[in-house]
Amino acid sequence: MAFLNHNINHLFITTLLIFCTFYSCYSSVNDTITSSKSLKDQETITSNNTNFKLGFFSPKNSTNRYLGIWYINETNNIWIANRDQPLKDSSGIVTIDKHGNLVILNNQNGTIIWTTNISNTSTNSTAQLNDLGNLILRDNNSGITIWDSFSHPADAAVPTMRISTNKITGKKIAFVARKSDNDPSSGPFSASIERLGTPEVFIWHDTNIHWRTGPWNGRVFLGSPRMLTEYLSGWRLVPDDDETYLTYDFKDKTMFGILSLTPHGKLKLVEYINKKEILRLEVDQRHFPMILTSPPKKFNQYRFNRRDNT
């Protein structure tokens, strides 16, 4: 009997080790794209924490196909690669080309639909979707990041993303709204950091100023003191030597937020706790009314508890 128990225990441990090894290997490669591991339509890669997925999707009432990153489900889209070059069918494939760029190809004729378009890249690179929702293209030899989606945003910002302006080159990380809720192509509204001596965020309609926040005083933008300050903590405006940038994060890592520029030039905030939506609101930049589009009771209770514990 002891011999039998020993064999059973040995078999159990061996099986467990094989399972853990397989799962570890699977979880580590399921968040990557390489030259030998491409991504087809109807397939996804998933961040290691399972919060984010990269794959093809179609907006509501559209058959166009776009490569995007979403939080929890496709309706919470935080980034789109080919927003202005949609595929008309499910022939898309994502891979690393011979120059080390991440590309979307039409698998039927090999046409490049979209590319990271980085010159002098490594011929040995890998794209990985990390636990922040950032798609990072790395040189496998040096480990250096040669491109990432956070530096090429669409219309949405998530924690640790930046809106920035480089003081030396003038290069900007700006956000561009969609044309409509069902058309993710670049619309007329955009947001960028301007006036770097006294930084503020401008929201543009084409080349005209639609609205501006007023200068940052270290805590809020003076022209819009109500703007999201009681809903988002952790805002920081950093005037580095080369770059001035605005970013935000939550101290409570069970929280997550998606702040987007709407097709109408408004700001929309959706917040989550433990992956469950607790708040959805829009801010009208000209008059600053807060338009709640989901019941605030749960959030208000959480906000009271959070303040009581700080």
Side-chain angles (χ1 to χ4, degrees):
M1 182 65 70
F3 176 77
L4 180 60
N5 287 338
H6 173 78
N7 283 346
I8 291 174
N9 289 337
H10 179 74
L11 180 61
F12 172 76
I13 292 171
T14 302
T15 303
L16 183 63
L17 286 173
I18 292 172
F19 173 79
C20 290
T21 301
F22 171 79
Y23 180 81
S24 175
C25 291
Y26 177 80
S27 64
S28 66
V29 300
N30 198 39
D31 59 0
T32 60
I33 296 172
T34 68
S35 58
S36 60
K37 180 180 177 290
S38 57
L39 180 73
K40 298 177 181 178
D41 202 309
Q42 306 301 325
E43 297 177 342
T44 60
I45 61 171
T46 305
S47 61
N48 195 51
N49 62 6
T50 72
N51 288 349
F52 303 95
K53 288 184 182 295
L54 172 79
F56 288 96
F57 74 98
S58 292
K60 186 178 180 181
N61 301 323
S62 173
T63 58
N64 287 341
R65 301 295 285 171
Y66 300 88
L67 179 72
I69 298 171
W70 56 85
Y71 175 70
I72 304 175
N73 59 62
E74 290 183 19
T75 61
N76 302 322
N77 193 281
I78 65 169
W79 181 76
I80 304 171
N82 58 320
R83 63 185 305 190
D84 295 313
Q85 302 93 20
L87 284 151
K88 300 302 182 182
D89 53 35
S90 59
S91 62
I93 185 170
V94 188
T95 189
I96 306 292
D97 71 6
K98 63 181 180 180
H99 303 294
N101 277 294
L102 184 70
V103 296
I104 303 174
L105 301 175
N106 183 320
N107 201 29
Q108 293 180 345
N109 55 29
T111 302
I112 297 177
I113 304 299
W114 174 90
T115 173
T116 51
N117 198 29
I118 303 298
S119 59
N120 299 320
T121 58
S122 167
T123 56
N124 182 21
S125 57
T126 297
Q128 181 181 37
L129 181 61
N130 74 6
D131 286 350
L132 297 173
N134 191 10
L135 182 64
I136 299 175
L137 185 65
R138 287 192 182 92
D139 182 331
N140 290 334
N141 297 322
S142 66
I144 294 175
T145 296
I146 52 182
W147 181 93
D148 71 293
S149 61
F150 274 18
S151 299
H152 300 80
D155 61 336
V158 299
T160 76
M161 284 185 75
R162 297 179 177 185
I163 178 172
S164 70
T165 297
N166 188 296
K167 301 175 185 178
I168 309 297
T169 65
K171 183 178 179 180
K172 298 180 180 182
I173 296 178
F175 293 80
V176 180
R178 303 177 177 212
K179 280 187 178 178
S180 71
D181 290 335
N182 297 330
D183 182 357
S185 61
S186 300
F189 288 99
S190 62
S192 61
I193 285 189
E194 306 292 339
R195 299 188 174 177
L196 303 185
T198 52
E200 55 184 306
V201 176
F202 280 28
I203 293 180
W204 304 85
H205 183 268
D206 293 326
T207 58
N208 300 313
I209 299 173
H210 175 63
W211 175 76
R212 40 191 278 208
T213 61
W216 176 261
N217 72 351
R219 190 177 62 89
V220 297
F221 289 104
L222 293 177
S224 51
R226 288 183 60 196
M227 190 188 73
L228 303 182
T229 54
E230 61 180 318
Y231 296 95
L232 275 178
S233 60
W235 283 99
R236 291 187 302 121
L237 192 142
V238 182
D240 281 351
D241 291 339
D242 295 339
E243 180 186 48
T244 295
Y245 67 88
L246 178 70
T247 187
Y248 79 96
D249 201 358
F250 296 106
K251 290 183 179 179
D252 183 350
K253 297 308 177 183
T254 65
M255 294 192 68
F256 185 77
I258 302 174
L259 179 65
S260 58
L261 183 62
T262 75
H264 308 291
K266 297 179 181 181
L267 291 176
K268 182 175 74 173
L269 171 67
V270 184
E271 278 194 357
Y272 303 83
I273 298 177
N274 292 320
K275 302 183 182 181
K276 293 184 179 180
E277 184 180 320
I278 59 165
L279 176 76
R280 183 179 292 259
L281 62 84
E282 288 186 5
V283 179
D284 185 300
Q285 292 93 336
R286 292 184 174 180
H287 303 102
F288 310 120
M290 291 193 173
I291 307 166
L292 288 170
T293 56
S294 64
K297 288 184 179 180
K298 184 176 180 180
F299 174 79
N300 287 339
Q301 182 63 44
Y302 174 81
R303 184 179 56 181
F304 175 81
N305 292 338
R306 182 173 60 173
R307 287 179 175 176
D308 192 48
N309 292 328
T310 57

